[in-house]
Amino acid sequence: CTTLYDENYAITGTTTIYTKWTINQYEVKIYIDNVLTETIMVNYNTLLSSLSVPSKNHYDFDGWYSSNDFSKKFGNAYTIIGNVSIYGRFNPKTYTVSLNRDGKVISKINLKYGDTIGMITKPTKVGHTFENYYLDSSFVTVINDDYVIDQNITIYIKWKVNIYEVSIIVDGIIYGTLQIEYGTTMKEVEVPTRNDYLFMGWFEDISLVKQIDDNYVITKNITVYTKWMNISSIKYTTEYYLENLEDNDYSLFESVITTGRYNTEVNAIIKSYVGFTVVDTNIKGTVLLDGSLVLKVYYTRNIRSVTYMYDNLIYKVEHLKYGSKYEIISDKLIKGYIFNGWYSDDEFKILAHLNLITDQDEVIYGKVEKIIEGTPGLKYELNEDGISYSIVGYEGTISDVVIPNGY
C-alpha cells in the first residue's frame, strides 16, 4: 500500500486495488465526583475496563457511571462506540475506632474518613463522668471532638470519679457534710467524735431503725444519722463472797452494781464485814460495753480464841471460826467442884451468853465451888428431877453435923 489512488485514477485494464482504513476515535470526557478532570480520545471499540482506575488518598474508587446522579453503573465489558461522558465516584474509606476503657477495649466503631470524634456517642460509666478522649493510655495527648478520622486508631477514655455529699446528723443537728467519692463504703467514712460517747453505727432514718451496713457503697447524695452510747456510766457488778462456816469454800453474800467509763480499769470497792477479813484488796478489771464485767471479792472468817478459866486456872483454850458455836463445858468435867455457870468477868457478875463466837478473843470464867463433904450418917433422898438429892435424916453420933454444899 505505497501507491495511493485518488478518485480520478482511470482504470485501463485488469487491476487489483487495496483499501486502507483508519480507526475512528471518540472523545471520552471523564468526570470524577461530577468534576471534569480529563478528556481523552479513545479508539472505536475500546473496552471501558482498559481505562486506568483513578486514586485518591483516604478514598476507595466506586466505579464508572453513565450519569452524574450515579444511578446506572457501566459494566467492565462496556465498549466505546462513540463520544461519551463517564462519571467516576469515590467513597471515603472506613476506619475502625477502638474505645479503650480502663485498659480494655469495650467497643469498635466504624467511621468514614472525614468523620470526627464528636460523632461518637459519649460512653458512660456508673459513678463516673466522662472527661475526655486521649491518644495514649497515659492520658497525655487529648483528642477533641473536631479530631478528623483518617486511620484506624485506638482512643483511651479518661474518667472523673463522681463526688457525692454525705450529710451527717448527730442528735438531730447537722454535724457536717463530707465530699465523698463514688465507690467509697460507709466503713471508710470518717466517724464524728463525741466526748463520753461511743459511736454505734450509721442509720438511714432519724428514728435509728434502719441501720446502714459498713459495706454500703455511696452512689448518690445521702443523709445519714448517727447512733451513740454514753460510755461514761457503764454498769459493772461487784460480788462479795464470805467463807462458809462448815467448810473452806465461799458463798455469795451480796452483789453491788456500780458504773464506770467504758474500757477503763476499775478497782473493786472493798467493804468491811464483821468477823471477816478480805483476801485480796487489789481486785480490778476493765469495764466492758455490755456490762458483763464482774469483780469478785473474797473474805475469810476470822479465827478467835476462847479461853475457859475456873478457880484462876486455864481449863482449856479453843480456836474457833467467827459465828461458830461455843463448846459448852459441863460441870461433870470439873471433878471436885460444883459448877455454877460461865461468866464474862472474873467477879462473876455478868453471865456469859454462850451462843455464837463473836469477832473478839474471849476469856470466859467458870464459877465453881469446892465440894464440902457432909458428916457421916446423913441420909439422902433422890429428888423428883432424878438428878439432885435432898437430906432426909441423920443417923450419926457427931453433934456438929456438917451439911455438904449443894443440898
Side-chain angles (χ1 to χ4, degrees):
C1 297
T2 58
T3 302
L4 179 65
Y5 295 97
D6 61 20
E7 293 178 350
N8 297 316
Y9 177 80
I11 303 296
T12 60
T14 300
T15 302
T16 299
I17 62 174
Y18 300 88
T19 60
K20 183 178 180 181
W21 300 88
T22 300
I23 192 168
N24 291 341
Q25 286 194 322
Y26 298 101
E27 186 180 73
V28 177
K29 292 184 176 181
I30 299 175
Y31 291 84
I32 301 298
D33 293 332
N34 284 327
V35 176
L36 179 63
T37 60
E38 187 179 9
T39 300
I40 60 175
M41 300 305 294
V42 178
N43 290 335
Y44 168 78
N45 215 30
T46 298
L47 288 175
L48 186 62
S49 59
S50 65
L51 295 179
S52 61
V53 176
S55 63
K56 186 178 180 181
N57 196 24
H58 300 298
Y59 287 84
D60 294 319
F61 184 67
D62 184 40
W64 298 110
Y65 290 81
S66 61
S67 62
N68 61 1
D69 62 358
F70 307 105
S71 59
K72 186 175 182 181
K73 202 170 190 179
F74 283 121
N76 288 333
Y78 177 78
T79 302
I80 304 297
I81 57 174
N83 296 328
V84 67
S85 294
I86 61 175
Y87 300 87
R89 183 172 69 173
F90 283 97
N91 289 329
K93 284 182 177 292
T94 298
Y95 296 108
T96 300
V97 179
S98 300
L99 296 183
N100 187 298
R101 184 181 75 182
D102 302 330
K104 182 179 180 180
V105 174
I106 59 170
S107 65
K108 292 185 178 183
I109 300 168
N110 292 325
L111 294 179
K112 294 184 180 299
Y113 168 74
D115 289 343
T116 62
I117 289 294
M119 298 175 66
I120 301 175
T121 302
K122 295 293 189 296
T124 59
K125 182 180 179 181
V126 175
H128 293 73
T129 300
F130 174 82
E131 186 172 298
N132 225 324
Y133 294 121
Y134 288 81
L135 282 176
D136 56 289
S137 60
S138 299
F139 305 117
V140 175
T141 306
V142 69
I143 303 177
N144 295 318
D145 283 349
D146 58 359
Y147 179 89
V148 176
I149 303 299
D150 60 0
Q151 60 182 324
N152 296 325
I153 60 170
T154 297
I155 59 177
Y156 299 84
I157 307 166
K158 186 176 182 181
W159 304 95
K160 181 171 63 177
V161 180
N162 292 345
I163 302 296
Y164 298 107
E165 290 187 349
V166 177
S167 300
I168 299 174
I169 308 298
V170 177
D171 287 346
I173 300 173
I174 295 180
Y175 175 86
T177 299
L178 302 179
Q179 303 295 315
I180 303 296
E181 287 188 350
Y182 165 82
T184 303
T185 63
M186 289 305 299
K187 181 169 57 179
E188 300 172 87
V189 176
E190 183 179 355
V191 175
T193 57
R194 295 180 68 190
N195 291 333
D196 295 329
Y197 284 85
L198 180 67
F199 177 73
M200 298 299 291
W202 305 104
F203 288 79
E204 295 181 19
D205 57 315
I206 194 170
S207 301
L208 306 179
V209 175
K210 299 178 180 179
Q211 187 166 6
I212 301 174
D213 189 88
D214 280 348
N215 294 321
Y216 174 85
V217 177
I218 295 171
T219 60
K220 60 183 178 180
N221 297 329
I222 58 172
T223 298
V224 295
Y225 301 83
T226 56
K227 184 177 182 179
W228 302 89
M229 173 184 283
N230 188 327
I231 60 172
S232 62
S233 55
I234 302 297
K235 292 181 180 180
Y236 67 93
T237 303
T238 304
E239 296 179 344
Y240 297 89
Y241 290 83
L242 303 183
E243 184 183 4
N244 297 331
L245 183 62
E246 61 277 6
D247 55 37
N248 293 326
D249 204 353
Y250 295 84
S251 295
L252 178 64
F253 179 71
E254 66 174 325
S255 297
V256 177
I257 295 178
T258 317
T259 59
R261 184 180 176 82
Y262 164 66
N263 206 33
T264 58
E265 190 174 73
V266 291
N267 291 297
I269 297 174
I270 304 302
K271 303 181 73 172
S272 297
Y273 296 99
V274 175
F276 293 87
T277 300
V278 65
V279 175
D280 184 0
T281 59
N282 190 30
I283 305 299
K284 59 179 112 176
T286 300
V287 178
L288 302 175
L289 197 61
D290 59 0
S292 62
L293 173 64
V294 177
L295 303 177
K296 297 183 179 183
V297 185
Y298 293 88
Y299 295 79
T300 57
R301 285 181 180 268
N302 295 337
I303 303 296
R304 296 307 181 190
S305 65
V306 179
T307 302
Y308 298 92
M309 297 188 66
Y310 73 92
D311 200 22
N312 293 322
L313 298 174
I314 294 177
Y315 173 73
K316 188 176 184 180
V317 178
E318 289 186 312
H319 298 282
L320 302 173
K321 285 184 178 181
Y322 166 77
S324 61
K325 292 183 178 181
Y326 289 86
E327 183 176 326
I328 303 302
I329 300 175
S330 69
D331 58 340
K332 293 180 181 180
L333 300 178
I334 309 173
K335 294 182 180 180
Y337 290 84
I338 294 174
F339 183 75
N340 291 321
W342 294 104
Y343 290 80
S344 297
D345 62 314
D346 57 2
E347 295 182 357
F348 308 112
K349 293 180 178 180
I350 303 174
L351 190 64
H353 298 285
L354 303 180
N355 186 13
L356 299 177
I357 298 297
T358 65
D359 194 32
Q360 295 179 348
D361 293 334
E362 293 186 82
V363 178
I364 299 176
Y365 301 89
K367 185 177 181 181
V368 294
E369 179 183 351
K370 270 197 170 186
I371 295 174
I372 300 174
E373 294 184 2
T375 302
L378 290 172
K379 294 182 66 177
Y380 302 94
E381 186 177 280
L382 182 64
N383 294 326
E384 291 181 358
D385 61 11
I387 298 174
S388 60
Y389 290 84
S390 298
I391 297 174
V392 296
Y394 175 63
E395 296 178 350
T397 58
I398 299 174
S399 58
D400 293 330
V401 175
V402 176
I403 303 299
N405 50 6
Y407 293 90

